[in-house]
Amino acid sequence: MNRWHVAEVVVPLKSDLHCGTSPLGFISRTLPFVPAHIPFYALVPVLVKKLNLPEHDFAKVENFLARHIRFSPFFVLHKNKILFPWEKGLLDLENHYLTAYYGVALDYNTRGALENRLFEKEVIVAVPIHGNNKSRERTGLKGYVFWQEGRDDDLKITVSSDASIADLSLKELLMQSQWGGEVNKGLGRLLDVKMQKAEKIFHGEFVEKDGENPLVKWPGNEKCPFYLLYDEDFIMNGKLIPITGRRYDRKRGPGVKMDDVAIVWDCGWKSQTEESVLLSLDVRYVCRHKS
């Protein structure tokens, strides 16, 4: 079994970002962070295009990446500090990094607005909102990427300072990906990708590097930023939610098939004991590791 490697990743946004969650009436709400599966799935179309593969190879590329790549969620940075939505930084998130687009669908025959067609779309802004709005600094997101060496026919991932997939730099592939929804409207583009070696994973510790999945030891007294798959044998303090997403369908193409629904503890859950929790990282969530 090949060893897992990890790097800290910071990405400044080039355009606003929308990670859709449960809508509220005509409001398309956004999560104030980027879930782990979004950068993962965003890599697939970029790699397919770079390798000039036919569209039906989407599933092959996705399955290969699922064996060799993992991401953590990505959170907004404010003055070089991560703004976790469940902590005191929520006010900074709302005041400086979240806004909404408003609009109405038009009737081109009457040159007027269609009735009951209002819409509001929330986004994480690419340029922080300040009182004087003169600063052009970019909103930064921080998270982690894990990878292990592997090969599958013409696909391979190698170990280097920032990893390479099929001789294409992981950093460059991430640069060309778009995160979240509304990518056809230019949302979710990244300005840069900065990677450096890491051992700490937020407040946790990267401890297992040789298994099927990377393992992170999470302290029992800290709220956790990963979705945790529900297991009736382990009850946490937190909120249970369903998660799903759009996937590739062999007959209809990318983005039209709904992923299987998983019931997870929402980001910000906490163990009911002071004991550390060993977490196994899958593509969409983490699981309690049972040794």
Side-chain angles (χ1 to χ4, degrees):
M1 182 68 69
N2 292 317
R3 290 174 64 82
W4 287 91
H5 301 260
V6 63
E8 176 188 292
V9 182
V10 174
V11 295
L13 293 179
K14 186 174 183 179
S15 63
D16 296 342
L17 173 65
H18 174 78
C19 293
T21 184
S22 304
L24 185 63
F26 60 85
I27 303 173
S28 297
R29 296 189 300 165
T30 187
L31 294 169
F33 64 95
V34 179
H37 65 275
I38 285 182
F40 175 87
Y41 289 127
L43 273 181
V44 179
V46 177
L47 193 54
V48 168
K49 183 177 180 181
K50 276 288 190 181
L51 296 176
N52 294 314
L53 297 175
E55 188 177 275
H56 61 73
D57 276 347
F58 256 77
K60 174 184 175 181
V61 172
E62 182 181 307
N63 291 336
F64 172 77
L65 293 178
R67 295 193 297 273
H68 302 291
I69 292 281
R70 297 286 186 275
F71 288 92
S72 76
F74 280 71
F75 296 91
V76 172
L77 283 172
H78 178 68
K79 298 179 179 178
N80 293 318
K81 180 183 178 182
I82 294 177
L83 292 181
F84 292 119
W86 52 87
E87 293 184 346
K88 296 178 181 179
L90 181 58
L91 194 58
D92 284 324
L93 264 172
E94 293 175 342
N95 289 342
H96 299 297
Y97 300 99
L98 298 179
T99 190
Y101 299 146
Y102 303 89
V104 63
L106 298 178
D107 183 340
Y108 291 100
N109 294 320
T110 64
R111 302 181 70 83
L114 287 172
E115 189 175 356
N116 298 324
R117 294 294 182 89
L118 292 170
F119 67 85
E120 177 179 342
K121 187 177 302 296
E122 293 181 342
V123 294
I124 300 173
V125 295
V127 179
I129 304 163
H130 297 289
N132 56 19
N133 207 29
K134 292 180 180 179
S135 172
R136 302 308 296 174
E137 65 178 302
R138 292 285 168 168
T139 299
L141 305 174
K142 181 177 177 179
Y144 299 86
V145 60
F146 305 79
W147 70 92
Q148 67 172 189
E149 193 169 23
R151 181 183 291 272
D152 183 4
D153 296 332
D154 54 337
L155 291 172
K156 63 180 179 179
I157 181 168
T158 59
V159 174
S160 62
S161 59
D162 68 348
S164 173
I165 304 175
D167 296 324
L168 300 167
S169 165
L170 176 58
K171 180 177 178 178
E172 292 303 316
L173 291 171
L174 286 171
M175 275 280 293
Q176 295 177 41
S177 64
Q178 286 182 257
W179 292 4
E182 307 292 338
V183 296
N184 62 331
K185 295 181 173 64
L187 297 188
R189 291 182 294 171
L190 309 180
L191 184 65
D192 193 10
V193 176
K194 304 172 184 177
M195 298 177 63
Q196 64 179 21
K197 187 177 179 181
E199 289 292 336
K200 298 289 290 185
I201 311 300
F202 300 118
H203 298 306
E205 181 184 356
F206 182 36
V207 294
E208 179 55 64
K209 306 174 184 180
D210 297 311
E212 180 179 349
N213 293 321
L215 297 185
V216 171
K217 187 177 182 181
W218 192 261
N221 59 352
E222 292 281 355
K223 292 187 176 181
C224 187
F226 293 88
Y227 289 139
L228 173 67
L229 185 66
Y230 174 72
D231 183 338
E232 63 182 10
D233 293 332
F234 301 103
I235 303 300
M236 306 296 171
N237 291 321
K239 180 175 70 172
L240 286 171
I241 61 169
I243 59 169
T244 183
R246 296 186 180 274
R247 300 284 298 282
Y248 172 79
D249 182 84
R250 188 175 183 85
K251 294 182 179 179
R252 295 181 293 167
V256 292
K257 176 184 177 182
M258 296 306 294
D259 204 351
D260 295 336
V261 175
I263 303 301
V264 299
W265 293 98
D266 197 3
C267 296
W269 59 267
K270 186 178 178 181
S271 174
Q272 290 189 334
T273 71
E274 293 297 311
E275 294 182 6
S276 297
V277 183
L278 200 56
L279 304 175
S280 174
L281 276 63
D282 210 327
V283 171
R284 292 193 293 164
Y285 44 69
V286 300
C287 309
R288 284 285 296 259
H289 181 70
K290 302 174 183 178
S291 53

